[in-house]
Every structure is written in structure tokens, then in C-alpha cells.
Amino acid sequence: MALPVSLGAFLQSEIIEDPLHKDEGVCVLGIFGKSAMQPGSAKESLINTLADKHIFSLFGQGDEDDQENGAVIQVYYNQDSRVLYLVLTSVFDNRQLLKACESLSAGVGHAEAHEFWKGAEKQHCMQLLYLFSLCHVLLLVHPTCSFDVTYDRLFRALDALRQKVLPLLRATLKDTPVSKEWKMNCRPCPPRLLFVFQMNCTLRVSGSGSGGNGADGSGGNSDKPKKHSPRRRLQHALEDQIYRIFRKSRVLTNQSSNCLFTVPANQAFVYVIPGPEEDPIAAILSQLRSNCALRENDTSAPAPGQRRYNQMRHSSRQPSFNVENTNLSSGGQLVDCTLKEFLWQHVELVLTKKGFDDSVGRNPQPSHFELPTYSRWVQVAYRLHQVMITNTEEEMAEIAIKVQAQLKVLEGFLDADAKFSENRCQKALPLAHSAYQSNLPHNYTTTVHKNQLAQALRVYSQHARGIAFQRYAVQLHEDCYKFWSNGHQLCEERSLTDQHCVHKFHLLPKTGEKPELDHNPPIMQHNSRGRSTSSCNCGRKQAPREDPFDIQAANYDFYQILEEKCCGKLERIQFPVFQASTPDPAPAPAPAPGPASDDTTTSRTPDPTSSAGGDAEHLKEKEGGVSHTPGDSTGLSLALSLGQSTDSLGPYGDGAEGQEKRPSLVDRQHSTVEYLPGMLHSGCPKGLLPKFSSWSLVKLGPAKSYNPHAGLEQPGFLPGSNFLLPWDVVIRCRSEEDVGGVAEPLDGSSSSWPAPNKALAGKRGGAGYLWRGRRRDDVARAFVGFEYEDSRGRRFLSSAPDKVVKVLGPGGAKEPATRALNSDMPLYIPSPTQGRGVKPHYAQLARLFIVVPDAPLELILSPQVQPGPPPCPVFHPEQPEVVLPPDSMWVLRLPYAYVTERGPCYPPKENQPLASYRVLRGILRPSTSSPPPQ
């Protein structure tokens, strides 16, 4: 073989052997170890010296010759000497190390990089075990002259791995043409391990023979000649150190057959290669002098063998190899042997089939030895290669998988960093668990769980170290989550007032299903343990209520229960709701996020033939017998908003019942298949209605049922705050005096009704005259009251966005309602009676009281509520505009909570401005009606 090849290519190539040496045995020599940062590998240079040929390049192979980043075994077979060389190159060599570093990307974390290096180290161990299973002699090359004690741990790991995979290797070699002992021990013999160290300029070999550096360890006279050179004494010291370490760790025992390798008892097994001379010119002159001296003494013609040996000696003295150097002592020292002489004494024992007798003790047992032929060795090497390194045959795939599975044995020996990290993280884990469970309630929310987990991770990070940090951090996450979810998880549902449910994780009962507390998880209703006091629709009865968790319980169910006890028989205006035409209606999908469409000015009325209109026909006014239906009211408000006169519609009180109702231009048929899951607001799709109305409009009686001097006679009001605000509305009636006058348009706007007791400039008979012909009944007094109610049931009326009604003497409220009607009234204001706590207590706008006087006057009610800062939508009833007839007292109950399709609009927090939660101005506007001409 002229050039070295990789092991895989060597085993798959055809066997070409000299017929003369076909039956002779082959000595297998394995070389492994580490290399320093130098151009050429010392292991490859050794083969150049031993084979007396330029086989390996001094500056390493190119990338085209070696494409692998892991461990590589190269093979060179010298048929002349019958020695087969196996050279292992791994990440412990500079060339492979640089390639492995290049393969690692910059973003690889510490744990991933550690896994990569440990994988490369495991591959290196498997390649080493392959060498220990096939070689007779192993050569460990080290770049320094000190022993690396990590080899002790490596050899113990290899010995443990060999004992694990030995049954699998026996099954692999059962059909090979080798002896029974080889099949049983899975190796030709216990390999003999030799050590080759390189001098790293810490010890110079001088020709004077004096050990002035003290390397011999003796304290005598340094001028006294020594028997051995300093290099020889260093080799003896290293042999004693290595043997002592391996015997102490039981890598070497008395019986060599039970060991991973052996060392000779009576032969040298350590060789130190001298370093280069400091003066290169002196080294060249010394070699020239030596060569000339040899040639002068050599007078006879050398034999072919001697010539070849002398050529080998001359080539070995070249400084580029730096492999061996002989020193002839003039003081009686023994001559240091060369590397080939050191190695060949062991190779000769193999080739002569004497074997190794390295067992020691009183009863040494002889170890088996076999010198295979070239062809037999290749067969055994191929089968071991299939199960230990690269598998390409299906029949051995199962054994190869089992062998690779045994690599976990190496973790306890080689991965000291991981073992230390495991111990540290295992000790830190209970401390982190204690930090997580400290000061915990029995049931807690996700926020508390995350906060406690962050605290546990901080404690864990203070104590945990190493590559196992991330793995045990994930385990800490899982353990804390398991503890939380195992009976400690609090229900995550929040009420419409932004309070958590106090129950642990549970299920809601289905329709008709009873609560089951013993079920896992339990079946029960939500409860935040929050209770408040609220009034009914009309405000005449108060009752406690639970904190609601759904919109129906907040805005409908509670008031329906009180309605049966209080205001069930009162006249009311029903708002249109969803009327299903199918047995299983579906909720409408939530609209896509986008700019909300402003439909608050659009009047929505149900179809005249719908059942909503029919249900409202039986609601008649007791005093006047006038029926108020959503269709009638909306048609009137639409006509007034379009600028039509009241004459085109006829008198509201006399001819409204008999006239045929005209269909509105903006009337639309509502969906009977899909309903609105939340409340009606400005961002809802057109044509959808909820299943129930969150608003209520109830008639308390005629206008005279309110006494301005006594105020509202309802429970819960603070003293002096139950008086409605007067609102003087200008009305105009046609008379004989202003028939010839110029009639001003009556459009219901603010310009058509000036402030009371103010003269209006006009033209009557000529310019500059004031019209003084107004009648006393041109001004009608209505009453309006914005009622706020807090959670304790305390109620009060507000006269302005920042002012509470407070009447101390008789006569009722003096401040007019103009300021309140022309401003955006807040939806929440601080309660006048704050509690003892630091947290502010808010009162919510709950009702709007309206007293329409007995006059030709109608009030158009159009409430619009924005319960949050933009882009919060504007909420309004299902009928945006309602006309309130004369001589009536009404109360509009606003929703308790506001909910959209995407969730509830929670009440304001302490740091949120209250001005963003408001009721838009224009909630009431007047509309006068004139009697027919006489």
C-alpha cells in the first residue's frame, strides 16, 4: 500500500496481498493521542520514521482528503515489515478541532455546544474501543512530556463500555474464522499500551552527561557522571508515575486478560522524543559531524539491509521530523535508543508469536494471543466496523443500534461538567419549590402563579449552574404548573365589575343541570363574593344583588325578579328584541376590527306586522287612552327630524290611533336567524338585535305624580338630593294674533326655543318692534333628573358634571337642567359618601327621570353612552329615539354593565380619567305639537 486510506475504504477494497507472505501473520499497531498547534501531526510523522518512507504529509492533508469533522481512522499497511498501522485522528487533534469549531454556528447556546462536544467525545471513545479490540500494540502520543491524568478516566470509561458491549461483539464475531479465545474475548490479545511524549523545551539533552537541571531527582554532586541520561531518567519517572496511577484506579490489575490493556513489567513502555535544539546552526553542524564520523568508520561495503538501516538513520536526523536523536556519552552513560528500536522490541514479540506475558502476582495467568493473517484480520475488522462505527448491512443493524445505546455508560465517566451541573441543579430545585409555595393562598390566579414562578426561578438561578440549568428550569416550570393545576387553580373568570371568581377551577352547569360540588372539577356558578344594592326599573324598591358574570344576569334577570314585586304593572315602552324564526338560532360572528359605523342617528323600528309591534298595542295610557308603540314614536320622531310639520302627521293625542301608519324610510327588517350576542352599539352590524334589552323605559304616572316641593319619594336617596331639575321649554301655539305674522320654522332645534322670560326680536308691523303678544302658556316646565347610585344603594341626583343636587330649604331645586342637558354627563362620579378605605368609591349613572308637562310638548329621548375611552363604541337602546308624550313621568333605567362582542367594558380604575366614561349630550330635546285650528 503506497498511501494511507480511510478505514471504511480499506475494508471495502479488494485484498491484494503478496503470495509469498499470504500465510504470515500481521502485527496491528494503533496510534492515537493528542497533537499540539503545529503544522504537521506528530502521530503521522512517527509512521514516516518507522516505515522509512514519506507516507503522510508533514503539513497535514488537504480538505479534499478529509471531509469529516469527527473521528477518522486511517490505515497504512507495510507488507515488508508485516505491520498494519491504524492512525486515529479526532477532535483532540488541531486539524479536526478547527473543523469542528467552524461547524458550530455563532448562535449556538451553551447547552447545545456542550452536546456537540460530548457527541464528538463519545464518537472518539467508540473509535478507541475499536482500536483496543483489533490491535496488538497501541501507541499513545502526547505533545508534552507530562502525563495527562484525564486518560485514567477515559480508560475506565472504555473498560466499562467494553464490558457492556462484550455480549454484542461476541454475537458479531461468532461466524468469523478466528480462534475460540478471540471470539470469547473479542480481541486477538490484551493490547500492550506504549506512551510517546514529546519534549516541550523544558529539558535539554546535553552531551556532557551532567544533569545540571536536577531532572534525576538526586541531591548529590552535579559533576558526578550519571549512568542514565536526563531523558532516560525522565522516561523512568514517567513509567513509575503512569503505572502507579493506573494501579491505583484499577485500570491495571494482576491478570492482564481482565484489563483493557497491559504494560510490560520488564520492558520500557515510555519514550520521550527530544525537542529541537535552540541553535539551529549548531544542530546542523552536529549532524554533519556525526554523518562524517559514521562514514569514515564505515570502511566495508554495507549489506543491503544495513544500507537501508543507515539511510533510515540519516533521514531520521533531519530537523523537520524531530523524532529521534542519539547522544553518545563520553562519561560512560548508556546510549539512548531510537524510537524504532524502542517500538520494534514489542513488535518483534508479536511477529515471532511469543505474545505478551504481562500478568503479575503470585499466580499469573497466561493471556491468550493470536497472530492473524491479513485476510482474517480484515474479516474481523469489517464485522466490528459494521456494528461499532458505520452500519451498512441490515443483518447487523439491530446489533449496531444496541451498541450505540450503550454509549450512555460513558456519561458518568467523561461528562464531569454535566455531573456537577446535575448535582447543583438537583439541590437548587427543592429551594425553588419552597420559594414558589411560600405565602401562597389555597387557590390563586394565573398572575399569582407567574409571579411566584418568577420568584422561584430567581432562587433557582442563584444556586443552579452548568449545562443542566435549562433542563431543570423546564422541570421547575412543569412542577409548579402541576402543583397549581392540582386543586390550587383559581377560576380565571372575571365579573363584569372586574372581580375574580373566588371558586377554584370549575365548570358551569348546563341548562337544567344542578351544581355538583363533588364532581372533579366541580360544577357550580361563578361567585366573586361581591354584593351590592340596586334599585328596580322604576327605582321604588331596592334589593341586594350578586356580582354578575354575564350580561343577562346584570341587565335583565335581576330587574325581572324585582319587576314581579314592584313595577310589573306599570306602563312601559318595549324595546324591540330578537324574534327567532328557527328552533336553534345562532349568535352573529364578531365583526372584523375597523372603524365603527355611526348608526346612532338611524331610527330602527320593527316591521308593522311583526310581533313586537303587536305586543306593544295593549300598552295604553290610563288617563288618555293613548297607545304608545315603538312604531308610532319612531315615526313621529323621524318626521320631526326630517323637518316636517306636525300638521302633516295630525294631532298626536286625537288622530294617531285612527290614522294609517306610514312606513319609515329607514325601517329595516331585522334578522330572525342570527342574534346579537352582546349589546347594541355603534359598531354592531346592521339588522341584528339582542335576545333581551338591557334598557328599560317605564312610565311612573302623569306629570302631577311628581311634587317639586317634596322631590322623589323613593328609598336610598341622600338627604336633599332627590329633587329633579326644572327645565323651562318654550312652546308656540298658533292664534289669531300671529296669523298675519311671519311664522318661524319649528324644527325642534335650540334656536327655536329661547331662554324663558326673554323677549324675542321679530318683525310685527315694522322693523325694530318687539313682539309682546306671547301668551303665558308659551313656556312649559319639564323636570329632568340624572340619578347616580353606588354599590351600597345610596342614590343622588346630579345637576352638572361635577355637582350634586343639594336642596336645603323648601321650594325644590332652583338650578335649571340646561347645564346638565347641554353637557356630556359622566357615567361614573365619586360618591359623596366615601368609605374608610383608600380606594375611591364610584357611583354609576343608573336612571334618568323625565317629567313631561301637560302641554302641547313632546320630548324626544335618545340616550347614547360611551363607557370608556376611544375606541370604545357608543351604546344606545334598540330603538335609538323614543318620543315621550305630554303629561307623563318616565324613568329610563340604564344598563348596569356594558358588554360588546369582544368582552365587557369594565368600570374605571383609580388612575383612569372619569371624563372618558360619559353620556353624550343631546339625550333630550323638545318637540312641540299644535292643536288644530278652530
Side-chain angles (χ1 to χ4, degrees):
M1 182 182 295
L3 294 175
V5 295
S6 64
L7 179 62
F10 172 78
L11 296 177
Q12 294 178 1
S13 61
E14 296 182 1
I15 301 176
I16 302 176
E17 192 177 7
D18 190 357
L20 299 177
H21 306 286
K22 185 176 182 180
D23 297 331
E24 296 182 5
V26 177
C27 175
V28 184
L29 175 63
I31 302 177
F32 68 97
K34 301 178 181 179
S35 63
M37 298 299 295
Q38 56 188 10
S41 174
K43 296 181 290 187
E44 298 167 350
S45 301
L46 291 179
I47 298 180
N48 291 342
T49 302
L50 296 175
D52 194 18
K53 292 181 181 180
H54 188 71
I55 301 170
F56 289 93
S57 174
L58 294 180
F59 301 99
Q61 295 181 347
D63 294 338
E64 65 276 4
D65 297 328
D66 186 11
Q67 298 294 336
E68 298 186 34
N69 296 332
V72 179
I73 297 179
Q74 292 179 300
V75 183
Y76 174 72
Y77 178 40
N78 191 344
Q79 293 189 5
D80 296 337
S81 60
R82 307 297 296 170
V83 176
L84 183 66
Y85 298 93
L86 302 179
V87 184
L88 174 61
T89 305
S90 64
V91 290
F92 294 99
D93 297 277
N94 54 349
R95 186 168 61 251
Q96 295 295 105
L97 180 62
L98 291 176
K99 290 183 179 181
C101 292
E102 291 175 356
S103 64
L104 284 176
S105 59
V108 175
H110 178 63
E112 291 79 3
H114 182 270
E115 290 296 327
F116 174 81
W117 292 118
K118 289 308 169 184
E121 192 170 0
K122 290 180 181 179
Q123 185 182 8
H124 172 70
C125 291
M126 186 59 73
Q127 302 271 17
L128 270 182
L129 184 61
Y130 182 80
L131 293 184
F132 277 90
S133 303
L134 289 171
C135 296
H136 298 94
V137 180
L138 287 165
L139 204 61
L140 190 155
V141 181
H142 198 66
T144 63
C145 58
S146 60
F147 177 66
D148 189 356
V149 293
T150 58
Y151 279 112
D152 176 68
R153 185 179 60 189
L154 174 64
F155 292 149
R156 284 189 288 116
L158 286 178
D159 194 13
L161 178 62
R162 180 176 176 272
Q163 298 300 328
K164 288 288 185 180
V165 301
L166 201 57
L168 301 173
L169 300 183
R170 290 170 182 167
T172 306
L173 300 180
K174 64 180 180 179
D175 297 332
T176 54
V178 293
S179 63
K180 182 180 179 181
E181 289 77 7
W182 192 338
K183 294 179 181 180
M184 179 62 62
N185 296 279
C186 299
R187 56 186 180 181
C189 68
R192 178 174 284 187
L193 182 61
L194 308 177
F195 298 85
V196 175
F197 296 93
Q198 289 182 320
M199 189 70 67
N200 54 351
C201 299
T202 59
L203 181 67
R204 291 187 56 191
V205 180
S206 63
S208 62
S210 62
N213 53 5
D216 56 329
S218 63
N221 188 6
S222 60
D223 297 333
K224 183 179 179 180
K226 303 294 191 299
K227 182 178 180 182
H228 300 290
S229 66
R231 184 159 61 94
R232 178 69 64 88
R233 295 197 297 273
L234 176 62
Q235 292 173 174
H236 292 171
L238 288 173
E239 287 179 357
D240 296 339
Q241 181 188 23
I242 293 172
Y243 186 78
R244 200 163 46 244
I245 290 174
F246 286 159
R247 288 286 295 186
K248 198 77 173 177
S249 61
R250 300 191 61 81
V251 174
L252 294 177
T253 59
N254 291 341
Q255 303 300 328
S256 61
S257 59
N258 299 330
C259 300
L260 178 68
F261 60 87
T262 64
V263 293
N266 299 318
Q267 289 179 291
F269 59 89
V270 173
Y271 185 83
V272 178
I273 300 176
E277 295 285 346
E278 293 186 2
D279 188 2
I281 298 179
I284 294 175
L285 292 177
S286 176
Q287 284 207 354
L288 180 61
R289 211 177 294 117
S290 301
N291 293 340
C292 294
L294 286 174
R295 290 178 182 178
E296 289 176 357
N297 298 333
D298 191 6
T299 57
S300 62
Q306 294 176 349
R307 185 184 305 113
R308 184 165 59 252
Y309 180 72
N310 289 333
Q311 291 174 357
M312 184 269 294
R313 287 171 57 87
H314 292 311
S315 62
S316 65
R317 289 194 180 96
Q318 295 179 4
S320 59
F321 285 93
N322 266 335
V323 173
E324 57 184 272
N325 186 15
T326 59
N327 291 322
L328 299 177
S329 174
S330 59
Q333 290 183 349
L334 296 178
V335 179
D336 293 335
C337 64
T338 63
L339 176 63
K340 187 168 186 178
E341 293 172 353
F342 163 77
L343 182 61
W344 231 250
Q345 58 181 333
H346 304 280
V347 175
E348 288 294 336
L349 294 177
V350 177
L351 295 177
T352 56
K353 299 184 180 181
K354 294 181 180 180
F356 305 132
D357 188 12
D358 296 332
S359 296
V360 294
R362 295 182 179 180
N363 299 312
Q365 299 293 329
S367 59
H368 72 282
F369 177 83
E370 184 172 348
L371 183 66
T373 61
Y374 178 81
S375 59
R376 290 183 178 181
W377 183 89
V378 169
Q379 295 180 33
V380 175
Y382 177 77
R383 294 185 70 86
L384 291 180
H385 186 270
Q386 289 293 317
V387 298
M388 299 178 68
I389 299 179
T390 303
N391 178 256
T392 57
E393 296 184 2
E394 296 181 359
E395 57 184 12
M396 298 184 183
E398 184 178 357
I399 300 179
I401 293 175
K402 293 180 180 179
V403 170
Q404 293 297 325
Q406 299 300 329
L407 288 177
K408 61 182 180 181
V409 181
L410 301 175
E411 296 178 358
F413 294 93
L414 302 180
D415 205 351
D417 297 340
K419 193 173 182 179
F420 169 78
S421 180
E422 291 271 349
N423 294 335
R424 289 298 304 171
C425 294
Q426 288 176 0
K427 290 181 179 180
L429 211 57
L431 300 177
H433 288 160
S434 300
Y436 175 81
Q437 298 177 15
S438 63
N439 301 325
L440 269 182
H442 188 269
N443 297 319
Y444 49 95
T445 61
T446 304
T447 304
V448 178
H449 165 70
K450 291 181 179 180
N451 293 337
Q452 291 296 109
L453 181 60
Q455 177 65 22
L457 287 175
R458 281 193 293 268
V459 174
Y460 172 77
S461 61
Q462 292 174 358
H463 300 275
R465 294 293 183 273
I467 59 170
F469 181 92
Q470 190 65 27
R471 179 160 55 87
Y472 279 90
V474 174
Q475 181 178 344
L476 177 62
H477 273 269
E478 296 176 353
D479 293 345
C480 294
Y481 179 79
K482 188 181 297 183
F483 176 83
W484 175 50
S485 59
N486 189 17
H488 297 279
Q489 185 176 1
L490 189 67
C491 179
E492 294 294 317
E493 191 68 22
R494 304 176 75 92
S495 68
L496 298 182
T497 58
D498 201 15
Q499 299 185 35
H500 274 288
C501 176
V502 297
H503 295 312
K504 64 180 182 180
F505 180 77
H506 63 95
L507 301 177
L508 289 176
K510 299 179 181 179
T511 304
E513 185 180 5
K514 295 182 180 180
E516 295 182 19
L517 301 181
D518 297 334
H519 191 269
N520 189 19
I523 300 176
M524 64 178 72
Q525 295 288 349
H526 294 299
N527 187 5
S528 67
R529 292 181 183 170
R531 294 176 65 88
S532 60
T533 302
S534 295
S535 303
C536 63
N537 287 330
C538 64
R540 295 184 296 187
K541 186 175 182 60
Q542 286 186 318
R545 66 180 304 170
E546 299 289 340
D547 192 15
F549 281 82
D550 61 272
I551 186 64
Q552 185 171 351
N555 296 339
Y556 187 76
D557 291 344
F558 171 76
Y559 300 103
Q560 286 296 110
I561 296 174
L562 291 183
E563 189 172 308
E564 299 176 358
K565 303 177 182 179
C566 177
C567 45
K569 298 180 180 180
L570 294 180
E571 184 180 352
R572 70 190 64 243
I573 293 181
Q574 297 284 355
F575 293 106
V577 293
F578 171 75
Q579 300 294 332
S581 61
T582 57
D584 50 349
S597 59
D598 188 10
D599 58 349
T600 57
T601 59
T602 304
S603 176
R604 299 185 181 180
T605 59
D607 191 76
T609 59
S610 64
S611 59
D615 294 339
E617 290 181 356
H618 71 280
L619 297 176
K620 298 180 179 293
E621 187 174 356
K622 297 180 180 179
E623 291 77 10
V626 181
S627 79
H628 306 288
T629 62
D632 299 338
S633 304
T634 309
L636 178 61
S637 62
L638 176 63
L640 293 174
S641 64
L642 295 177
Q644 300 176 2
S645 65
T646 55
D647 295 333
S648 61
L649 296 177
Y652 184 80
D654 298 333
E657 286 185 348
Q659 290 186 355
E660 181 181 358
K661 186 172 62 175
R662 303 179 182 178
S664 174
L665 297 177
V666 292
D667 281 349
R668 177 176 182 151
Q669 180 69 35
H670 295 291
S671 174
T672 58
V673 179
E674 292 182 340
Y675 62 89
L676 192 65
M679 297 173 59
L680 197 63
H681 56 81
S682 57
C684 292
K686 303 289 185 180
L688 293 178
L689 289 175
K691 284 187 172 182
F692 56 89
S693 178
S694 299
W695 306 71
S696 174
L697 185 58
V698 180
K699 182 179 179 181
L700 297 179
K704 63 181 181 181
S705 59
Y706 172 70
N707 186 2
H709 301 282
L712 294 174
E713 297 178 355
Q714 292 185 358
F717 276 98
L718 299 178
S721 63
N722 59 334
F723 291 89
L724 302 182
L725 303 177
W727 182 27
D728 293 337
V729 183
V730 177
I731 59 175
R732 298 185 61 185
C733 297
R734 295 189 179 185
S735 60
E736 295 179 356
E737 297 179 357
D738 53 1
V739 172
V742 179
E744 296 182 2
L746 183 62
D747 55 359
S749 62
S750 58
S751 61
S752 62
W753 42 282
N757 300 326
K758 296 288 185 178
L760 183 65
K763 295 181 181 180
R764 191 170 186 269
Y769 286 92
L770 294 177
W771 180 44
R772 302 182 182 272
R774 186 181 304 277
R775 294 167 51 183
R776 294 179 59 87
D777 58 355
D778 285 347
V779 176
R781 171 160 290 187
F783 291 91
V784 179
F786 291 87
E787 181 211 327
Y788 290 85
E789 185 177 18
D790 62 9
S791 59
R792 297 180 179 91
R794 289 172 291 197
R795 307 161 65 185
F796 57 90
L797 297 176
S798 179
S799 60
D802 54 352
K803 189 175 182 181
V804 178
V805 173
K806 189 68 174 179
V807 178
L808 300 178
K814 305 299 183 182
E815 187 175 357
T818 308
R819 182 182 175 188
L821 292 175
N822 294 336
S823 304
D824 291 341
M825 292 296 290
L827 185 61
Y828 299 93
I829 61 174
S831 178
T833 56
Q834 293 289 332
R836 297 181 180 179
V838 181
K839 186 177 180 180
H841 195 62
Y842 294 130
Q844 180 182 350
L845 181 61
R847 287 164 197 84
L848 177 65
F849 290 91
I850 309 112
V851 177
V852 186
D854 185 9
L857 173 67
E858 294 173 344
L859 296 182
I860 301 177
L861 177 66
S862 57
Q864 297 180 9
V865 181
Q866 188 175 19
C872 180
V874 176
F875 290 81
H876 55 82
E878 292 75 15
Q879 182 177 334
E881 292 186 354
V882 180
V883 177
L884 303 180
D887 192 19
S888 57
M889 181 178 180
W890 299 86
V891 54
L892 173 69
R893 194 263 304 164
L894 279 74
Y896 182 81
Y898 298 86
V899 180
T900 65
E901 296 82 1
R902 298 181 179 88
C905 301
Y906 292 117
K909 303 293 184 182
E910 299 181 29
N911 55 352
Q912 290 180 324
L914 298 180
S916 301
Y917 302 80
R918 55 181 181 163
V919 178
L920 303 184
R921 68 185 70 181
I923 190 172
L924 278 177
R925 67 176 187 270
S927 174
T928 57
S929 60
S930 301
Q934 301 295 332

